[in-house]
Amino acid sequence: MSGTSVSPLAPAAFPAMLAVAGVRLATAAAGIRYSGRDDLMLAEMPPGTSVAGTFTRSLCTAAPVDWCKQALAASSGRGRAIIVNSGNANAFTGAAGYRVAEHTAEAVARALGAPAHEVLVASTGVIGEDLPTGRIDGALGGLVAGLAPAGPRAWEAAATAIGTTDTFPKGASAPVAGTSAHVAGIAKGSGMIAPDMATMLAFVFTDLAVDPPTAQECLAASVEKSFNRITVDSDTSTSDTVLLAATGTSGQSAALHMADFQAALDAVTLDLAHQIVRDGEGATKFVAVSVTGAADDAAARAIARAVADSPLVKTALAASDANWGRIVAAVGKAGQRADRDRLAIWIGDEQCADGGMPKPGYSEERATAHLLGQDVALRVDVGVGHGEATVWTCDLTHGYIDINAGYRT
């Protein structure tokens, strides 16, 4: 992960992760881009594991995304392993990039005695550089030999190995109520975050038995409420991937516990999504932007995202400047219906505007006091309907420029 200081919004510690029966993890240092740290992660699942995936809608997809889509189709949603490298995205590497992804899957498959199309591949890092397969091949033997049940230390090591500009490893888990099964996941992401059907990279596991079509339906619903509601910098990656693997090793079926399984899955994906925002490059504030009174929920999401993505709003937040006029401007550019003369805006609990004008008795001092904290809430009512949505973002500081200006050096 990044050598920069840990985000001020980071959790106090990596969480005490719950076990997921049947999952084994390992990490290794292949020296793909980084030295002195692990940059490979392998997760092994038992035969028959269901796997679902959501991926970037970028039209410039990385080769591993293409491989995963084709592998899931070929296997009818079954998977035996997930291998991830950091430091190189294997994106914009031409036909050779796909051959690298295929070669990696085949090598893992041989080592585990599994079909190649049941090995999912993900890569993250610099775009436009060839991924050195020899380094992955050289580390693969030790990686496979190191596979062990997914305990707390293994989860943390896996989350660390997949990071790039991340300043802390990201993990979350939850029990499935009424069962002995658990849901647990890890993620990476810090910049290039404005996902569409995924986030940077996230891998979620459960030992509940879930058939592939149901797993896909549940994951898509969960992603829409979590990873698709965050933004750091309005940029969508070429490599966005979320995979859900259901081992069924608990001996219990999701068919009898669907609501509880969905609730646990939603809790894990939302926790991971929030951690990504809290690790936004250069971030000093975690910001919830809530919109009500929109024409419908989709319109509310679009308005909330326009506010959350606005550089003027985000830089004002960085300075704790209660300049709510920037919120008005962002609402106006969203391309969704809004009644100017019914518009209302809150910063924290302080209402700034009402009826399309400053709220009588508005206190900029109270609004500023709220912005001085690390957790910020902005709310807008656009006065045209009943649609509502929340998008989570962070402020925009000079730290973002520092990190990205020298990302490759």
Side-chain angles (χ1 to χ4, degrees):
M1 295 195 304
S2 170
T4 60
S5 59
V6 176
S7 168
L9 307 175
F14 192 80
M17 299 279 283
L18 298 171
V20 175
V23 176
R24 299 203 302 162
L25 299 172
T27 63
I32 293 168
R33 185 173 192 86
Y34 309 114
S35 60
R37 53 154 288 190
D38 288 351
D39 54 4
L40 276 181
M41 186 278 287
L42 177 64
E44 182 195 25
M45 298 85 69
T49 294
S50 298
V51 179
T54 64
F55 305 94
T56 181
R57 285 186 178 173
S58 168
L59 299 182
C60 299
T61 52
V65 170
D66 296 336
W67 169 263
C68 284
K69 288 179 178 179
Q70 294 180 33
L72 287 174
S75 68
S76 299
R78 300 294 179 180
R80 287 290 314 281
I82 301 168
I83 184 165
V84 187
N85 76 269
S86 59
N88 184 308
N90 192 16
F92 265 71
T93 47
Y98 187 84
R99 289 195 293 271
V100 167
E102 182 179 37
H103 171 88
T104 301
E106 290 174 345
V108 172
R110 285 193 299 271
L112 298 179
H117 59 255
E118 292 191 13
V119 177
L120 291 307
V121 179
S123 300
T124 179
V126 174
I127 294 170
E129 295 183 3
D130 291 334
L131 178 58
T133 55
R135 296 182 186 180
I136 296 177
D137 291 344
L140 190 57
L143 191 65
V144 171
L147 284 166
R153 289 186 179 179
W155 285 119
E156 185 172 5
T160 301
I162 65 175
T164 52
T165 60
D166 304 61
T167 70
F168 63 88
K170 301 165 181 67
S173 61
V176 179
T179 77
S180 62
H182 302 139
V183 177
I186 58 174
K188 68 84 54 182
S190 186
M192 201 180 284
I193 303 294
D196 193 354
M197 291 307 291
T199 182
M200 285 297 289
L201 296 179
F203 309 103
V204 183
F205 305 85
T206 182
D207 41 12
L208 206 62
V210 190
D211 64 81
T214 300
Q216 186 64 47
E217 181 180 346
C218 292
L219 179 63
S222 193
V223 163
E224 184 55 36
K225 294 179 286 189
S226 56
F227 296 123
N228 278 354
R229 301 292 183 93
I230 63 172
T231 177
V232 167
D233 49 19
S234 79
D235 278 329
T236 297
S237 169
T238 61
S239 308
D240 292 341
T241 299
V242 177
L243 297 176
L244 167 65
T247 68
T249 318
S250 69
Q252 297 167 295
S253 173
L256 302 176
H257 305 277
M258 281 306 304
D260 292 324
F261 170 60
Q262 188 72 61
L265 179 61
D266 291 351
V268 169
T269 58
L270 187 60
D271 191 338
L272 292 173
H274 283 187
Q275 288 186 57
I276 288 171
V277 174
R278 290 185 177 277
D279 203 15
E281 290 170 345
T284 65
K285 300 179 194 297
F286 177 79
V287 185
V289 180
S290 299
V291 172
T292 57
D296 52 34
D297 290 351
R301 286 197 300 272
I303 295 168
R305 188 169 291 278
V307 174
D309 279 337
S310 167
L312 289 176
V313 172
K314 291 162 74 74
T315 49
L317 293 172
S320 300
D321 179 8
N323 186 352
W324 54 268
R326 293 184 173 183
I327 300 173
V328 175
V331 171
K333 75 172 185 180
Q336 303 294 327
R337 287 176 54 213
D339 188 335
R340 180 198 63 193
D341 296 328
R342 297 182 67 185
L343 193 67
I345 297 172
W346 289 259
I347 296 176
D349 293 328
E350 185 66 18
Q351 187 170 1
C352 312
D354 186 33
M357 63 183 65
K359 171 75 172 178
Y362 160 62
S363 168
E364 183 164 330
E365 290 75 16
R366 288 193 293 267
T368 300
H370 176 74
L371 294 179
L372 288 170
Q374 289 187 334
D375 290 276
V376 171
L378 306 179
R379 183 160 69 92
V380 180
D381 191 290
V382 298
V384 297
H386 301 287
E388 57 183 43
T390 298
V391 169
W392 293 275
T393 190
C394 57
D395 56 343
L396 179 60
T397 71
H398 203 281
Y400 181 87
I401 298 171
D402 294 339
I403 291 167
N404 285 284
Y407 177 56
R408 298 196 305 156
T409 55

